[in-house]
Amino acid sequence: MSIYGEGWPEGLPYRGAGQVSGLDLVLDAEWGLKRAKGLIRGARMVGLDKWPTFDGLDIEVDLHDRSGWVLLSSEWLGLDWPWMFRDPFRLNLEPCRIEVAWRDAWQETWQAGFEDCAAANSDVALRGNLLLTANENKPSIDANFRVERGDIARLDPYWPEPVMPESVKQWLRQALLGGNIAEGRALIRGDMDDFPFRNGTGRFEAVARVENLSLEYLEGWPRISDSSAVVRFVEASMEATGRIGDN
């Protein structure tokens, strides 16, 4: 992009690989995108800075006249995002259509989003909506996801690193021994420049109903089993209410 006197757009992958077919790419006199159509199989996209790296992704694109769609799918999508998640993991991504629109030549004013997209593996299953809107730096986000199932004992890789204090993450990893998420929801809303929203400029909230919970509240304390709870995270705080055993 420096050849054309422009910086690389923030949030786009800076390196990629995959098998491309049916490519039709048209740029205008200002190097703005007029049309992009094609298919990429087994794509790997490497993100800059705090952005994720994906691999094993199939991408179909049809963009023209400053709008269009991108269809994503993967039987075994790899996600490596050290800023957000401690360990890489893989998911099955059902076909997910992202609607895209922009107004200017360099796509500095854009919007992209999807509805009712689903991803799952043996640990967790998610379904939800996402809307990203261009901002001066990082985009603003409006996301709402439903947790359809989850294995409490295998949630270590999925705790959002920048959102939770280190003491909370350590407690979750030490205390939660087993159980199932029967249902849950999570929402993120705000300007991603302010994430994780500890100054009140955005909203991060997650709530889950947990069954058959096995818990070691503190090291050396008696273990709690066959319990149920409703757990709620708001920004960096956590609260829980529930039942112990048959009580």
Side-chain angles (χ1 to χ4, degrees), residues 72-74 77 91-97 114-121 124-129 145-146 148:
L72 306 179
S73 62
S74 177
L77 173 66
L91 296 161
N92 173 270
L93 176 66
E94 296 180 10
C96 177
R97 178 169 166 138
F114 60 73
E115 294 184 358
D116 199 36
C117 287
N121 58 21
V124 66
L126 307 171
R127 183 179 294 274
N129 308 328
F145 289 92
R146 184 171 75 252
E148 298 182 330

Side-chain angles (χ1 to χ4, degrees), residues 40-81:
I40 308 173
R41 295 285 190 190
R44 174 177 172 81
M45 300 185 298
V46 180
L48 276 169
D49 192 23
K50 296 180 179 180
W51 294 91
T53 293
F54 299 95
D55 70 80
L57 187 61
D58 293 338
I59 309 170
E60 186 176 358
V61 179
D62 191 349
L63 303 172
H64 56 88
D65 297 327
R66 302 187 179 182
S67 66
W69 52 266
V70 178
L71 184 66
L72 306 179
S73 62
S74 177
E75 293 184 358
W76 207 227
L77 173 66
L79 175 62
D80 187 2
W81 196 357

Side-chain angles (χ1 to χ4, degrees), residues 106-121:
W106 279 106
Q107 295 82 54
E108 292 176 356
T109 306
W110 56 266
Q111 190 173 75
F114 60 73
E115 294 184 358
D116 199 36
C117 287
N121 58 21

